[in-house]
Each structure stands twice: as C-alpha cells, then as structure tokens.
C-alpha cells in the first residue's frame, strides 16, 4: 500500500497548495466568493461537474448499481438532468443578475422582503449538504489508513476547511479542476473497464444476474419520480449550484459549459451503475451495498491504480464538501448575519473588499460542519432532510419569480413558510425517508404561492422594471480584467 499512500498524500498536499495559490488571488469579495465572475467554458464545465458529483454520486451511485443494476443510475442521472435544465433554461439569466446568493435574487424579484427567511432555509440545506459530504471522509480514510471515524472526519474536514478558507472560490475552483481530472481518470477510464473485465464482460454479467438488473426501470417508477423531483429540481435552486453559475464569464459560458457538465453527469451515472453491477457479480453477498465501491477498489485494482481511484473518490467528496461549505458561509454572512445587524449593502453597490469577513465565516461554518458530522451517524436521513427543505420550501418562490410575473413577496414568503413547515411536519408523521413529505409540501407551497399572490397587490412596477433590467444584464456591473485562467 506504500505506493497508494504516496498517491493520496501527494493529492492532499496539492489541495493545500492550491489553497495557498488561491489566497494570493482572492483580493476582493467578488474574487473570493465567485472567482471574479471570470471562468471560461472549460474551467466552468469541470468545476460544475465536480461539485454536483460528490460522495453520494460516486460511492452511493456504485452502491445503487450493486443493489438494483443498471437502473441504479437514476439518482445521478436525475442530477445530470437537473444540471442540463438549469444550464439550458435558466443559467444565462441567473448569471446576468450579478448577485451572490439565491436570497439576493428573491430580494430583487420581490422587492427586498423575502431574503431573510429564504436565507435561513438555504443555510440549513447547505449546512446539511456539507455535513453529509464530510461524513463520507470516514469511509474513504478507513479504507486508506484504517483509522477511526472521528479522526477521519477531522483529517478530511480540516484539509477542505483550510484550502476553502485561504482562497475562497479561487482555491475551490482550481482544486475542483484537479478533482474533475482525477475522477475522470480514476472512475471512468480505470475503474469502469477494469470492473467489467474482472466480472467477465457483459455477457457473463447477464448470465449470472437476474434480468431485472438490466431493466432501465427496475428500481421502480415511484423511486425514479422521487429522484427527479428532489435532485433534478434541487439542482435548479441550490445555493451551491447557483454560486458556480455566478462564476461564469458570460451567458454562453453558463449555458454551454453547464450543458457539457450535465452531459458528463449522465455518463458518470451510467458508469457508476455498471461498476456496481460488476461488483454484484464478483461479490454477491456484501454486508452493505455502499461497501461495493471500496471492496472492488481494494481487492481488484493493482498498486498505484488503487491509490488513484481512491483519490478519485476522495476528490468527489472534497469537491462537494468545499462547494457546500462556501455556499453555507456565503448565505450565513450575506443573507442572515448582515441582515440581522442591519448592514445589508444596497443592491447594485460597488464591489467591497469583504474577504476577511467571508473567510471568518467559512472557518466558523467549517468547524461547525466537522462537529456535527462527528455527532451525526445517518447520512441518508441528513441528506433527505436537506433536499426536502430545499425543494419543499424554496422551489416554488424561486421558479415562480423567474417564470410568473404576478408572483408577489407575500406569496413568496407564504410559500416558503407553509412549504417548509409542511415538509417538517410530514417528515415527523410519515418518517424522514418517506416520499410523501416532499410531495405534499411542494403542493402546499404551490397552492399558497398562487392564492396569496393573486389575493395581494401586484409587485411594484418599479421593482419589476429593475428586475427586468438586471435579467437583461444591465446594472450592477463588476470589473472583469483579462486573465489566463478564464479558459
């Protein structure tokens, strides 16, 4: 394992070095939080794919393939569909707004009264997303170094918090590009073909497994619908995803770069399911489906390659964790703390150097994430709570604001409050992992949004005019200087 350890150590040291490099670039709020809004298509595509394909997509995706066969691809496939929908239909308009958070967008659209409550909901979502990603370090470091869970979480979490705090979005962008390359090589180019060959090829896999393992809908229609509802729609509104859209250099980058990333996710989904199916042939009686990834890597890959593939899994977890962490800190500082202390910057104001404050919030949120991750055991439940709150509470007011002119601030606030409360109450009644909470919570949010919006005074014409100006890309322009990394 010495060679494998060396590969992992070099990778981790490289992540810290990227954090130091990013610190030298992040001299303003825009540079620190959204990489100066200067990423070109190649870098934007790689970083966008990296943030959405985390530990759940890699380890969990292989586990679903082990359990259900090729239809296990649907969870990650739903993520790719959501990213494609966001890129094709919304990303250009989102990028033109020149904001930092989803709540700022709601303030612009509804007249400045929807930000705080939506910020609290978004903060809870990003916090739990960061926690679930951090917990995944335990699985990977256990395979690598045979260390206990708490030490693994502290080790992995400290590295992510360190490079994120140092350089903000620039550090995360560069590390995500490295992580994207490592994942592509480790999972798609190495683990996928090796797993298929070790399992005897597709003909042998079909001969040894039940036919439902090769049924594209074998996982069940209701499960597929729930994946689409939660993950596809979740991709449209999450702060962690929007903050990457804000880094795009322009409309074309946001649209086409995101489309490439979404397509990559679809390929990654199928690869994970195939690897899991191959693992089922080789190890038919594993104690847990989620153990399939670690088992096939540990037992079937040669020295060196094994280290690279484990680095790929680590890369997947780190990219999602760092993206969720900076999103959580950005929301906590800009949408909650600034409003509570009455120091909200006026919309369209000049760029202010707030690097120190945002850096402090990343550090504080990072420590909180590590502590919660140590105390929490059930990753699936935590992730389900996060996405249920996000979709049930915020999907309707966000998409309503983008698509329906008649939506009002009162309708948006009512939708957030009723949808969020309904989801929490229904999870208590039906159970956290039940499908009903997000179904009924979303319907309640939609009904309240429409009824209250129609029953209240339309949004002020001046607010809508300013909103249309921002959607058209006029106003709140920030300086953008040429830079070689924008490619």
């Amino acid at each position: 394992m010495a060679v494998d350890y060396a590969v992992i150590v070099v990778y981790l040291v490289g992540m810290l070095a990227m954090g130091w490099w990013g610190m030298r670039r992040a001299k303003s709020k825009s540079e620190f939080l959204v990489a100066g809004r200067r990423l070109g298509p190649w870098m934007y595509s790689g970083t966008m794919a990296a943030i959405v394909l985390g530990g759940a997509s890699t380890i969990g995706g292989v586990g679903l393939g082990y359990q259900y066969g090729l239809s296990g691809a649907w969870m990650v496939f739903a993520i790719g569909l959501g990213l494609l929908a966001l890129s094709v239909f919304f990303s250009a308009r989102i990028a033109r707004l020149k904001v930092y958070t989803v709540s700022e967008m709601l303030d612009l659209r509804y007249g400045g009264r929807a930000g705080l409550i939506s910020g609290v909901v978004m903060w809870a979502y990003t916090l739990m997303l960061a926690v679930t990603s951090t917990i995944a370090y335990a699985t990977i470091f256990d395979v690598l170094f045979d260390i206990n869970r708490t030490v693994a979480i502290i080790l992995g979490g400290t590295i992510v918090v360190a490079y994120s705090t140092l350089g903000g979005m620039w550090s995360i962008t560069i590390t995500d590009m490295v992580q994207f390359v490592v994942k592509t090589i480790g999972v798609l180019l190495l683990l996928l073909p090796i797993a298929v060959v070790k399992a005897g090829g597709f003909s042998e896999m079909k001969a040894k497994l039940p036919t439902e393992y090769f049924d594209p809908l074998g996982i069940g229609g209701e499960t597929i619908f729930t994946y689409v509802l939660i993950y596809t729609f979740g991709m449209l509104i999450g702060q962690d995803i929007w903050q990457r859209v804000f880094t795009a250099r322009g409309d074309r980058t946001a649209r086409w770069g995101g489309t490439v990333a979404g397509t990559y996710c679809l390929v990654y989904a199928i690869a994970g399911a195939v690897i899991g199916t191959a693992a089922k042939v080789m190890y038919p009686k594993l104690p847990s489906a989620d153990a399939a990834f670690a088992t096939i890597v540990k037992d079937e890959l040669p020295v060196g390659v094994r280290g690279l593939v484990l680095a790929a899994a680590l890369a997947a977890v780190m990219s999602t964790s760092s993206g969720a962490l900076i999103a959580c800190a950005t929301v906590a500082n800009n949408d909650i703390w600034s409003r509570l202390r009455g120091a909200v910057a006026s919309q369209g104001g000049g760029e202010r150097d707030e690097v120190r404050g945002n850096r402090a919030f990343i550090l504080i949120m990072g420590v909180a994430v590590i502590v919660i991750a140590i105390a929490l055991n059930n990753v699936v439940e935590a992730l389900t709570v996060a996405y249920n709150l996000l979709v049930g509470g915020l999907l309707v007011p966000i998409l309503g604001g983008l698509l329906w002119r008649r939506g009002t601030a009162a309708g948006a606030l009512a939708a957030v409050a009723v949808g969020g409360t309904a989801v929490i109450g229904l999870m208590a009644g039906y159970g956290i992992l039940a499908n009903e909470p997000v179904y009924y919570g979303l319907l309640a949010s939609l009904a309240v949004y429409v009824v209250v919006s129609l029953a209240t005074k339309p949004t002020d014409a001046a607010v809508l005019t300013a909103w249309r100006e921002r959607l058209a890309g006029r106003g709140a322009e920030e300086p953008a200087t040429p830079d070689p990394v924008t490619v």
Side-chain angles (χ1 to χ4, degrees), residues 451-473:
V451 171
V452 174
S453 292
L454 292 176
T456 53
K457 183 181 177 181
T459 304
D460 186 83
V463 172
L464 288 177
T465 299
W467 167 252
R468 287 193 295 270
E469 288 288 308
R470 291 290 283 270
L471 280 180

Side-chain angles (χ1 to χ4, degrees), residues 190-191 194 198 296-303 305-306 309:
L190 293 177
L191 183 57
I194 290 174
K198 291 281 187 177
I296 195 171
V297 169
K298 195 172 183 178
D299 293 350
E300 302 298 334
L301 299 186
V303 173
V305 173
R306 179 171 51 203
V309 173

Side-chain angles (χ1 to χ4, degrees), residues 83-105:
L83 188 51
L84 284 172
L86 174 71
S87 302
V88 173
F89 298 113
F90 300 108
S91 62
R93 284 186 285 175
I94 292 170
R96 291 188 208 120
L97 292 174
K98 295 292 190 292
V99 295
Y100 293 101
T101 67
V102 174
S103 295
E104 288 181 39
M105 167 262 168

Side-chain angles (χ1 to χ4, degrees), residues 19-290:
W20 182 262
W21 179 89
M23 183 177 66
R24 298 167 62 88
R25 298 186 58 87
K27 303 298 184 183
S28 67
K29 179 180 179 180
S30 177
E31 295 284 350
F32 191 83
L33 294 182
V34 291
R37 309 187 195 274
R38 290 192 278 161
L39 298 191
W42 291 110
M43 186 167 284
Y44 178 86
S45 298
T47 58
M48 183 62 87
I51 188 172
V52 300
L53 296 174
S57 300
T58 303
I59 299 171
V62 171
L64 287 172
Y66 182 89
Q67 190 172 1
Y68 297 104
L70 298 185
S71 66
W74 271 105
M75 183 186 76
V76 183
F77 208 81
I79 292 173
L81 292 177
L83 188 51
L84 284 172
L86 174 71
S87 302
V88 173
F89 298 113
F90 300 108
S91 62
R93 284 186 285 175
I94 292 170
R96 291 188 208 120
L97 292 174
K98 295 292 190 292
V99 295
Y100 293 101
T101 67
V102 174
S103 295
E104 288 181 39
M105 167 262 168
L106 292 173
D107 276 350
L108 278 172
R109 169 59 181 83
Y110 294 112
R113 289 182 289 166
L116 181 59
I117 185 172
S118 63
V120 172
V121 175
M122 189 64 77
W123 173 78
Y125 157 73
T126 53
L127 178 70
M128 295 312 296
L129 185 63
V131 166
T132 56
S133 300
T134 303
I135 291 173
Y137 297 137
T139 301
I140 299 170
F141 280 109
D142 178 57
V143 174
L144 289 174
F145 305 117
D146 194 25
I147 57 180
N148 71 51
R149 178 179 182 276
T150 298
V151 174
I153 289 173
I154 292 174
L155 176 60
T158 299
I159 293 171
V160 170
V161 171
Y163 74 69
S164 301
T165 302
L166 286 172
M169 187 59 80
W170 271 122
S171 294
I172 292 171
T173 296
I174 299 303
T175 54
D176 276 359
M177 278 304 298
V178 175
Q179 290 157 357
F180 171 74
V181 172
V182 171
K183 279 192 289 191
T184 301
I185 296 173
V187 175
L188 297 185
L189 301 184
L190 293 177
L191 183 57
L192 175 61
I194 290 174
V196 172
V197 170
K198 291 281 187 177
F202 284 104
S203 58
E204 188 70 15
M205 290 162 63
K206 286 185 177 181
K208 290 187 175 181
L209 294 174
T211 55
E212 56 263 28
Y213 264 71
F214 301 91
D215 179 0
L217 304 179
I219 199 170
E222 184 178 356
T223 299
I224 293 171
F225 178 76
T226 302
Y227 283 156
V228 171
L229 185 62
I230 293 178
Y231 295 112
T232 300
F233 284 106
M235 289 295 106
L236 300 180
I237 58 176
Q239 170 67 26
D240 52 325
I241 309 302
W242 277 41
Q243 198 156 344
R244 295 309 175 95
V245 176
F246 299 151
T247 66
R249 186 171 57 193
D251 295 2
R252 187 176 181 85
T253 295
R255 183 179 293 112
W256 293 109
T259 301
V260 171
T263 304
Y264 179 90
C265 291
L266 302 183
V267 174
Y268 200 88
I270 296 170
V274 171
I275 292 168
T277 305
K280 183 67 175 179
V281 173
M282 290 182 279
Y283 309 98
K285 295 183 179 180
L286 288 177
S288 167
D290 284 341

